[in-house]
Amino acid sequence: MLNPQPIPSYLIQSDAVRARFQHLKAREVILEVNDLGKRFETSQGAITALDGISFKTHRREFVCVIGPSGCGKSTLIRILAGLDSQTSGHVLLDGRPVQGPGADRGMVFQGYTLFPWLTVKKNVMFGLKMNGHSNVHAEREALQWLDLVGLAKFANAYPHQLSGGMKQRVAIARALANRPRILLMDEPFGALDAQTRAKMQTHLLDIWRNIDVTVLFITHDLDEAIFLADRILVLKAHPGEVQELIEVPVPRPRDYSQITLPEFAATKARLDALIHPPITADDEDEGVKPHMVRLTDVNDNVE
């Protein structure tokens, strides 16, 4: 008889965390991705960016997607947003195929995509008016969402008068104003300094707790993924494939004191091992490891 394998430390969950995941899995599936593939034709031949991507996301779940450079994270989220089309497989949102952009999906990019000639309020109103809402309704909704993200007093300011973090809060309010089923975020805090980034992560969790929306969040930051997510989808590169789907064992509500928890450290160690595996002899043969040339006196060591 085989000895049972020990449960990996990063998957050990408290009773409270286990109960939360059972409750989450009982919710309806919002997003379903089945055998998704994407190929690009280039002058050097076809390149497979995504291959066989499959996963499901439940209502009000927070899922982060991470992976090494070139794993297709941004390609995946553009397909989910309807900004790009897949080569194979399909994407279902509430059981309906995704065949282009729609108000049922909100998108927040890394760059500040606000219209500089419009005030904060009118930036948030823009999507509502494009979807046929009256000016009165759009203004009322915009002010409500600006209040939710803590920027009501800046409604008549212009984007150039805001900090980077404030601009992203406006972008989040604009994305949420149409009350989408899912909020797609492509490294939205990547351009922010560390202190502002931490504040924005906390702001985002506060917003998510108070509204009925599912979040799919692309990031390259392991701490950010663990701090925010219920589950983390780990992709590998060349081509982009699902490597692992990890349930984060860190309890909610989250705060940065939890970074010292064993569950946090174990999850981060597992993610790091998946994304940065040791370089093998085959990797060196393929040119993965850079060829280092000494350009200083060999006797002048710094270590």
Side-chain angles (χ1 to χ4, degrees), residues 96-115:
R96 297 185 296 273
V98 169
Q99 297 177 329
D104 53 3
R105 281 148 289 145
M107 184 77 180
V108 179
F109 299 90
Q110 178 176 339
Y112 308 132
T113 55
L114 303 179
F115 299 122

Side-chain angles (χ1 to χ4, degrees), residues 10-11 21 24 31-36 49-58 61-69 71-80 91 182 184-185 187 215-222 224-237 239-249 252 267 270-272 274-275:
Y10 66 91
L11 288 180
F21 276 112
L24 182 62
L31 178 70
E32 185 174 353
V33 179
N34 289 314
D35 202 26
L36 191 72
L50 298 171
D51 185 32
I53 303 292
S54 296
F55 65 95
K56 297 178 180 179
T57 302
H58 297 82
E61 186 176 11
F62 201 125
V63 176
C64 282
V65 181
I66 66 168
S69 178
C71 71
K73 297 186 296 293
S74 291
T75 300
L76 172 62
I77 203 168
R78 286 182 61 83
I79 292 173
L80 300 183
V91 178
I182 188 166
L184 305 169
M185 309 186 79
E187 299 198 45
V215 181
L216 193 138
F217 188 105
I218 303 290
T219 182
H220 63 271
D221 186 293
L222 305 188
E224 182 170 69
I226 299 167
F227 181 71
L228 293 175
D230 291 310
R231 294 189 296 161
I232 301 173
L233 181 70
V234 185
L235 302 182
K236 65 179 182 179
E241 298 176 330
V242 175
Q243 191 166 193
E244 195 162 315
L245 186 57
I246 294 176
E247 294 181 350
V248 178
R252 290 195 187 275
T267 306
R270 177 58 182 167
L271 294 176
D272 190 63
L274 289 170
I275 296 175

Side-chain angles (χ1 to χ4, degrees), residues 81-252:
L83 301 175
D84 203 349
S85 59
Q86 65 268 30
T87 308
S88 59
H90 59 271
V91 178
L92 301 176
L93 184 64
D94 287 325
R96 297 185 296 273
V98 169
Q99 297 177 329
D104 53 3
R105 281 148 289 145
M107 184 77 180
V108 179
F109 299 90
Q110 178 176 339
Y112 308 132
T113 55
L114 303 179
F115 299 122
W117 60 88
L118 295 179
T119 64
V120 164
K121 180 177 66 178
K122 290 184 177 180
N123 263 283
V124 179
M125 291 171 60
F126 182 83
L128 291 162
K129 295 183 69 175
M130 289 292 291
N131 285 318
H133 293 284
S134 68
N135 192 68
V136 172
H137 174 82
E139 182 174 15
R140 183 172 64 246
E141 285 288 300
L143 290 174
Q144 174 183 301
W145 287 104
L146 287 173
D147 184 54
L148 182 68
V149 300
L151 291 176
K153 67 180 181 180
F154 293 94
N156 295 316
Y158 286 86
H160 73 271
Q161 298 172 304
L162 307 180
S163 68
M166 293 166 72
K167 290 176 184 176
Q168 282 301 59
R169 277 193 275 167
V170 176
I172 292 170
R174 184 175 65 181
L176 291 173
N178 283 311
R179 301 182 184 271
R181 294 288 280 162
I182 188 166
L183 179 63
L184 305 169
M185 309 186 79
D186 189 5
E187 299 198 45
F189 308 147
L192 303 177
D193 63 85
Q195 184 177 10
T196 304
R197 185 173 188 149
K199 289 181 179 178
M200 284 302 300
Q201 291 163 4
T202 301
H203 281 313
L204 179 59
L205 287 181
D206 287 340
I207 293 167
W208 171 67
R209 287 188 197 105
N210 287 288
I211 60 176
D212 184 2
V213 71
T214 300
V215 181
L216 193 138
F217 188 105
I218 303 290
T219 182
H220 63 271
D221 186 293
L222 305 188
D223 287 335
E224 182 170 69
I226 299 167
F227 181 71
L228 293 175
D230 291 310
R231 294 189 296 161
I232 301 173
L233 181 70
V234 185
L235 302 182
K236 65 179 182 179
H238 313 303
E241 298 176 330
V242 175
Q243 191 166 193
E244 195 162 315
L245 186 57
I246 294 176
E247 294 181 350
V248 178
V250 180
R252 290 195 187 275

